[in-house]
């Protein structure tokens, strides 16, 4: 009789947080509950503190004392959501990793269904939002525009209405680790990497507590990152705008010359001149801006700095059985 017990597969949660003291205990409670129900797996819960200035880190440390499956990665400052997620992915040991926000907008309970599809052979199982509760009209509208714009501009297919809430297989984690870029737009990188993907539709709740950590500025930076990392179409757009404005000015010049040569009047006035200058300089500035976004991207990549620094970790030395 073979008495050897099959080793359980390890599944990692990756939970980025930035100033989430109001919600992190409840999140950990729900995640631990879900994990303890799925007894066929071993679990590690990696919480990344992305430079919080409230009590988030202390709360995580207290949770580790109670539950040794929880692990902390404390970053040296606020690097941003995507970098926090990458820090978690880099240290995760699981055969599959579930990335989830700390604010309970995405239900951890969905992990059970994600795991079921993963077991069927899918490498990425992502949550697709069909409804979003308690989010401002502005947030919903900007998110909608962003996803539609990104898809129409980018040369790869990024699923609409998805966030980073997803399960990814170890293969995908390794693929992400091989992509060294500083400008990180993880859901785009995952989509770009290929692999077998599946989506589960779900209704996105409002935040359990606290306020959004994505300021308008962070949202704009994130959106520009997404677009410039995955599309060169804006550069082509700059060329098209140049061609169109050159064509318009050619028409204008022709009209002015014809009027002058074949009639007794001529186009006069500073208003025409001012409009022409405003129009061309507007087009030029937009084109410069587009170029600047890409050059800024090159500048960041050329410096090749590490994408984050870890200040401290806790719970990692205790081997997960
Ligand atoms: N977050 C982070 N670093 C940041 C901003 C956000 O780690 O600089 C985390 C945040 O704690 C949350 C997740 O990223 O777990 C998503 O942020 P948030 O819920 O504020 O964004 P929203 O859902 O409003 O888009
Ligand atoms: Mg949120």
């Amino acid at each position: 009789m073979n008495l050897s017990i099959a080793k359980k597969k390890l599944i990692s949660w990756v939970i980025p947080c930035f100033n989430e003291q109001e919600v992190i205990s409840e999140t950990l409670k729900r995640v631990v509950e879900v994990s303890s129900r799925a007894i066929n797996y071993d679990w590690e819960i990696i919480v990344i503190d992305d430079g919080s200035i409230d009590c988030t880190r202390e709360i995580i440390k207290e949770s580790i004392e109670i539950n040794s499956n929880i692990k902390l990665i404390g970053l040296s400052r606020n690097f941003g959501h995507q970098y926090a997620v990458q820090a978690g992915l880099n240290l995760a040991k699981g055969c599959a990793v579930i990335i989830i926000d700390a604010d309970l907008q995405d239900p951890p309970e969905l992990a059970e269904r994600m795991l079921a599809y993963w077991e069927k052979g899918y490498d990425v199982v992502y949550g697709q939002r069909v409804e979003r509760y308690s989010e401002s009209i502005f947030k919903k509208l900007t998110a909608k525009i962003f996803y539609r714009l990104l898809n129409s501009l980018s040369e790869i297919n990024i699923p609409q209405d998805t966030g980073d809430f997803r399960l990814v297989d170890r293969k995908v984690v390794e693929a992400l680790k091989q992509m060294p870029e500083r400008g990180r737009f993880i859901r785009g990188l995952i989509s770009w990497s290929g692999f077998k993907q599946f989506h589960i539709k779900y209704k996105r709740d409002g935040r359990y507590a606290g306020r959004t950590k994505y300021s308008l500025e962070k949202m704009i930076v994130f959106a520009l990152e997404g677009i410039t990392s995955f599309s060169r179409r804006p550069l082509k757009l700059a060329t098209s705008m140049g061609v169109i404005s050159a064509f318009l000015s050619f028409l204008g010049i022709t009209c002015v010359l014809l009027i002058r040569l074949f009639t007794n009047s001529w186009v006069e006035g500073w208003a025409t001149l001012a409009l022409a200058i405003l129009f061309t300089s507007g087009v030029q500035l937009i084109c410069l801006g587009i170029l600047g976004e890409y050059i800024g991207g090159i500048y960041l990549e050329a410096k090749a700095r590490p994408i984050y620094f870890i200040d401290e970790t806790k719970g990692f030395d205790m081997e997960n059985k």
Side-chain angles (χ1 to χ4, degrees), residues 154-175:
S154 64
E155 285 129 20
I156 56 155
N157 183 29
I158 297 173
Q160 306 216 337
D161 297 323
T162 54
D164 286 326
F165 179 39
R166 56 187 63 210
L167 176 148
V168 288
D169 185 80
R170 167 86 357 224
K171 279 186 264 184
V172 183
V173 176
E174 292 306 320

Side-chain angles (χ1 to χ4, degrees), residues 41 110-122 125 167 200:
Y41 302 100
L110 216 65
E112 289 162 16
R113 284 177 61 202
M114 288 180 165
L115 281 166
Y117 283 105
W118 174 61
E119 291 287 7
K120 280 186 195 163
Y122 289 100
V125 186
L167 176 148
I200 300 180

Side-chain angles (χ1 to χ4, degrees), residues 65-224:
E65 303 295 337
I66 303 165
N67 187 331
S68 62
N69 289 345
I70 302 175
K71 301 170 179 189
L72 164 78
I73 304 175
L75 300 186
S76 62
R77 67 167 171 86
N78 178 235
F79 283 90
H81 177 205
Q82 301 291 294
Y83 304 94
V85 170
Q86 189 61 49
L89 291 174
N90 287 349
L91 294 200
K93 295 243 165 57
C95 310
V97 179
I98 302 170
I99 306 168
I100 187 167
D101 285 355
D103 57 1
L104 290 178
Q105 278 194 285
D106 308 311
E109 292 73 21
L110 216 65
E112 289 162 16
R113 284 177 61 202
M114 288 180 165
L115 281 166
Y117 283 105
W118 174 61
E119 291 287 7
K120 280 186 195 163
Y122 289 100
D123 299 313
V124 180
V125 186
Y126 56 87
Q128 191 163 34
R129 306 151 183 175
V130 281
E131 255 171 77
R132 302 162 75 119
Y133 295 117
S134 320
E135 283 184 308
S136 68
I137 295 177
F138 177 72
K139 180 97 188 179
K140 283 187 206 169
L141 189 73
T142 45
K144 212 180 179 94
I145 295 173
F146 170 62
Y147 282 110
R148 303 294 181 279
L149 190 71
L150 184 62
N151 251 6
S152 62
L153 284 178
S154 64
E155 285 129 20
I156 56 155
N157 183 29
I158 297 173
Q160 306 216 337
D161 297 323
T162 54
D164 286 326
F165 179 39
R166 56 187 63 210
L167 176 148
V168 288
D169 185 80
R170 167 86 357 224
K171 279 186 264 184
V172 183
V173 176
E174 292 306 320
L176 281 170
K177 282 198 210 166
Q178 283 173 42
M179 299 185 204
E181 49 224 89
R182 271 97 210 133
R184 288 198 95 73
F185 183 66
I186 290 181
R187 65 200 75 162
L189 294 177
I190 291 179
S191 178
W192 181 84
S193 66
F195 299 107
K196 245 172 117 184
Q197 314 219 351
F198 190 79
H199 65 273
I200 300 180
K201 291 203 177 349
Y202 74 106
K203 292 178 175 153
R204 193 169 207 229
D205 288 328
R207 262 184 166 270
Y208 177 80
R211 293 180 49 213
T212 177
K213 305 300 170 315
Y214 262 92
S215 58
L216 183 62
E217 192 194 336
K218 274 188 184 173
M219 263 162 58
I220 294 173
V221 170
F222 181 68
L224 285 176

Side-chain angles (χ1 to χ4, degrees), residues 9 29 52 75 92 165 229 281 306 316:
K9 289 178 191 165
K29 198 175 122 217
S52 299
L75 300 186
F165 179 39
S229 310
S281 52
F316 278 91

